[in-house]
Each structure stands twice: as structure tokens, then as C-alpha cells.
Amino acid sequence: MKNKRLLMRWYKRKFYNGRSIVARAVDFVALRIIILAACYLWFITRIDNTVMAAVLSFTALAAISVAAEIIKSMRLVRFIDRERVQIAHSIFRERLLILPKEEFLAIVKAYLGEHRACYPDECLVFTVQSSMPVNADTVLRAFRAAKKRSLAAAVIFSAAPVSKEAHAITKSLSGVSVGFVTPDALLKSASATAFLPTPDAVDEAILSAAAKAKAQRKKTASEPFASGRMRRYVLVAAALFALSFFVKYTAYYRMLAALSLSFGALAFWLNLFSPIRETGGAA
């Protein structure tokens, strides 16, 4: 149940372009107020009775809100489906790079079995498990290997995309036609479904990404009070206090100095009682 809530929170945060629950709540209330005001202004110009105009305005607001929520929920469902598919594909691409050679070849064989008519027996199958895009040198190796075996075609199965140079050099080769099968092509085939991650694996990937994002937000929020910042706040407070004797708005400068000093004290307190502290000595 907790994981489901975390997953839905992650989906919604991404669906709303990173906006927090508070920001979405403010947008929700502000938008409804604007809609209510617009409806009231529209009805009041057509009905002399202000009470009736208000009732109709609230009724219209309720109808618009219900319709908006239905549309939004439908869009969210479609977004979740697309997001899960994209994450599954991303995991599949990452797995292609780290799979043992035998398992990678099993994916290749499944693809070849599905597209048997496209790849005759005299076609060389050349596999590449590298994170770097397929380059011209890889194409030349496949070309020479096919040439050595007197084959008329070669197909390169790659765990990474294909560079423009690799595509370009195939046009200048004669005697052997060289083609490519990239992870995107593998994903479009029916044989890839047997090798795609399970829904639980997708959930784990999302929860891991959510935990990392939360840790990053926490780190960003605590950055102004990190260790070593106290001295800077104190120096700024001292500089502002000293400037207050030479400027026109003395009280404002001293207020800013007090605020900076307060930040310094808060930074000192947070670092003093932080649960994660480096300790010296040997155990």
C-alpha cells in the first residue's frame, strides 16, 4: 500500500512537470476562483437577480470542475501507461549492455526467428554489446568478416544506437550489404516481450528513481545550511552591521544583519545535531 502511494505520488509529480502537492493545491484553488469570478460576471450580465447568478455560477463551477477532473484522470491513466512502457524499454536497453553473451544471443535468435524471411542463410550475424554507438570501424569489421566467408549480406545487432558515420559508410561498400538492428528495432518486435522487465521490476525502478529524487531535493533544500556556511553568514552579518553606520537606511541594514546571523545560528545548530557526522578514532 505504501509503495502504491509512492508510485502514484511519483507519477503525479512527473505528470504535473515536477510541481509539488502544495503548488498544485494553490493552482487548483486559484483556477477555481478565476472560473467562479468569470462565470459570475457572465451570468450577472444576463440575469438581474444576483442570488440566482451566484447559484448558477457555483453550479457551472461544479460542472466544469467535475469535467476537468474526469479529463485529467483519463490523461493521467494514459500518461502512466506510456511512462511504464518507456521505463520498461529503458530497462531493456540497459540490460542489453550487461547481459551475458548467451542471453544476448538468445534475444538475437528470437528476433531472427521472427524475421526469418528478411535474413537468408547467407547473411552474417554480427553482434556488438557496447555502450558506444556503432561506428564505421565496426561496420568495416562486419564487412570484412562477411567478405571472408563469401557472404552477400551482414546484419549488425547492437546494444547501442548507430552513428551517422556508420550509416554513411555502408553506402560506399560494395559486394556486401550491411544492415543494422538496434534496441529500438528489437523493442518493436514481438520477440522482445519475453525479455522485457516484469511490472515489479518497473515498480522497483520507479521507486529507486523517486528515492534518488527525494534525496536530491533534500540535499538541495539543506545546501544553504551545509557545514561551513555558518562562517559566511556571520561575515555577511558583520559586513552589513558595519555598513549600517555609513548608509542612510540604518535600520534595514541591521535587520538584514540580524537575519543573516539567524541563518548562521540555524546552520550551526543543524550541523551540530545532525544524525550523520564524521567521528574520529578507531573502533
Side-chain angles (χ1 to χ4, degrees):
M1 185 63 69
K2 181 181 178 181
N3 286 346
K4 287 184 178 180
R5 288 198 302 269
L6 291 174
L7 288 169
M8 186 55 65
R9 192 179 302 169
W10 186 87
Y11 290 135
K12 287 185 176 181
R13 193 177 188 93
K14 197 160 186 182
F15 178 72
Y16 292 106
N17 298 319
R19 285 181 295 166
S20 64
I21 296 176
V22 176
R24 298 201 300 267
V26 171
D27 289 345
F28 180 89
V29 174
L31 183 60
R32 266 57 181 180
I33 291 174
I34 293 171
I35 293 173
L36 179 63
C39 290
Y40 181 77
L41 290 175
W42 191 84
F43 282 117
I44 200 66
T45 58
R46 286 159 175 77
I47 302 174
D48 294 333
N49 192 328
T50 56
V51 175
M52 182 60 67
V55 171
L56 290 174
S57 299
F58 277 105
T59 304
L61 175 62
I64 293 171
S65 298
V66 170
E69 288 301 314
I70 292 173
I71 295 171
K72 187 164 57 178
S73 63
M74 293 171 62
R75 289 179 58 229
L76 180 61
V77 170
R78 290 196 297 267
F79 172 81
I80 291 174
D81 292 338
R82 290 196 306 269
E83 196 67 22
R84 291 186 67 84
V85 170
Q86 290 177 4
I87 292 171
H89 289 181
S90 178
I91 295 173
F92 176 79
R93 293 187 186 95
E94 292 174 359
R95 285 182 176 178
L96 286 179
L97 297 172
I98 60 176
L99 279 176
K101 191 70 173 180
E102 296 76 13
E103 295 184 24
F104 184 72
L105 289 175
I107 296 176
V108 172
K109 289 177 181 178
Y111 182 89
L112 290 172
E114 183 182 346
H115 301 82
R116 185 68 180 174
C118 301
Y119 303 102
D121 294 336
E122 58 271 14
C123 178
L124 174 73
V125 177
F126 195 90
T127 60
V128 182
Q129 266 184 289
S130 174
S131 60
M132 301 298 294
V134 176
N135 54 28
D137 291 336
T138 303
V139 175
L140 290 174
R141 287 200 301 271
F143 172 79
R144 286 192 291 266
K147 201 80 168 170
K148 185 177 180 180
R149 292 169 175 79
S150 301
L151 299 176
V155 57
I156 299 175
F157 281 83
S158 172
V162 181
S163 66
K164 294 181 180 178
E165 294 77 10
H167 279 293
I169 199 172
T170 58
K171 299 177 182 178
S172 62
L173 300 176
S174 61
V176 177
S177 63
V178 181
F180 305 98
V181 177
T182 61
D184 291 338
L186 289 173
L187 285 167
K188 292 177 183 178
S189 65
S191 57
T193 55
F195 302 96
L196 287 174
T198 62
D200 290 339
V202 174
D203 290 344
E204 288 178 9
I206 294 173
L207 291 173
S208 177
K212 290 179 181 178
K214 184 179 179 180
Q216 184 61 38
R217 289 195 301 270
K218 187 176 180 181
K219 181 181 178 182
T220 303
S222 62
E223 190 65 25
F225 305 105
S227 178
R229 293 297 178 95
M230 182 196 70
R231 184 178 300 176
R232 298 182 188 180
Y233 286 124
V234 172
L235 290 175
V236 171
L240 289 170
F241 185 76
L243 284 172
S244 66
F245 292 99
F246 304 99
V247 295
K248 195 172 184 180
Y249 301 100
T250 301
Y252 293 108
Y253 274 77
R254 291 182 180 176
M255 287 171 60
L256 290 173
L259 183 62
S260 182
L261 195 61
S262 300
F263 282 142
L266 182 59
F268 173 77
W269 183 84
L270 289 175
N271 285 281
L272 181 65
F273 296 100
S274 176
I276 303 175
R277 298 179 61 192
E278 294 184 358
T279 57

